[in-house]
Amino acid sequence: MHTRQTLLEARLATVRRDLHEVMDRLTPEMLGWAPASGMRTISGQLVEIVATEMQLTTLLREDRFIDDPTAAAIIGDLDDLDNLRRATESVRADTLAYLASLSEADLADEVEFQGGWFGSLGLPTIPRAEVFVSIADHEWYHVGQLTSYLWARGIDPYQ
């Protein structure tokens, strides 16, 4: 029987494989591109993935919120594809280390999210494990957007 931790680790690994498939098709020249005015650039999508994971893991572990400008500063050069790759790996390693430190009881503990965070499903508290599910769901959402970006550029993301 799988533990909640094992299932969360598998979910995070699966979505990360999907992100790697997309990132393997990106070139540095593509980072500033978006399909239309007002949409996030490819770099912006990657930063959104990394920053949100960093913010949620820090909030769970340290009960403090990292704002978007601080997250961007921690990530570093947002126009460097290699740096963004390193950031995805570094933040995921941090998330997995934190997850590994938690017991099944810790994962079941209810945590409070103020401000109507969408990942809390409109509830005042959710089990800590659900935040990790949300990290994976959030990443998949943006991987889907990046996949559409590749299609829009005439790149088959599945080949």
Side-chain angles (χ1 to χ4, degrees):
M1 177 181 236
H2 297 292
T3 65
R4 185 68 171 149
Q5 182 178 16
T6 302
L7 292 169
L8 292 169
E9 289 168 349
R11 181 182 296 265
L12 290 165
T14 300
V15 68
R16 187 46 55 98
R17 278 191 303 273
D18 289 349
L19 178 62
H20 285 163
E21 285 182 20
V22 169
M23 289 186 79
D24 288 348
R25 288 161 177 79
L26 299 177
T27 63
E29 300 76 32
M30 298 166 81
L31 290 178
W33 184 82
S37 177
M39 293 179 72
R40 275 194 186 102
T41 63
I42 288 175
S43 173
Q45 295 287 2
L46 295 170
V47 170
E48 174 68 14
I49 290 167
V50 175
T52 298
E53 181 171 346
M54 181 190 312
Q55 289 165 332
L56 290 172
T57 300
T58 301
L59 190 58
L60 284 177
R61 186 182 53 235
E62 301 171 24
D63 197 29
R64 74 178 174 92
F65 182 74
I66 299 174
D67 62 21
D68 290 341
T70 301
I74 292 168
I75 293 167
D77 188 349
L78 308 181
D79 296 317
D80 182 315
L81 185 56
D82 289 332
N83 181 63
L84 292 170
R85 283 181 201 277
R86 284 189 300 274
T88 63
E89 296 311 310
S90 172
V91 169
R92 179 53 50 87
D94 184 54
T95 298
L96 292 174
Y98 174 62
L99 177 58
S101 76
L102 300 172
S103 68
E104 289 296 312
D106 292 332
L107 290 170
D109 282 345
E110 294 281 319
V111 293
E112 185 176 334
F113 280 91
Q114 298 178 353
W117 174 58
F118 80 94
S120 68
L121 310 173
L123 302 169
T125 64
I126 57 171
R128 181 177 277 110
E130 286 300 309
V131 180
F132 292 99
V133 171
S134 182
I135 288 170
D137 288 350
H138 178 262
E139 185 168 322
W140 257 322
Y141 174 80
H142 290 288
V143 167
Q145 290 178 320
L146 287 166
T147 299
S148 295
Y149 281 28
L150 290 174
W151 279 117
R153 292 182 62 91
I155 300 168
D156 182 346
Y158 303 110
Q159 294 206 352

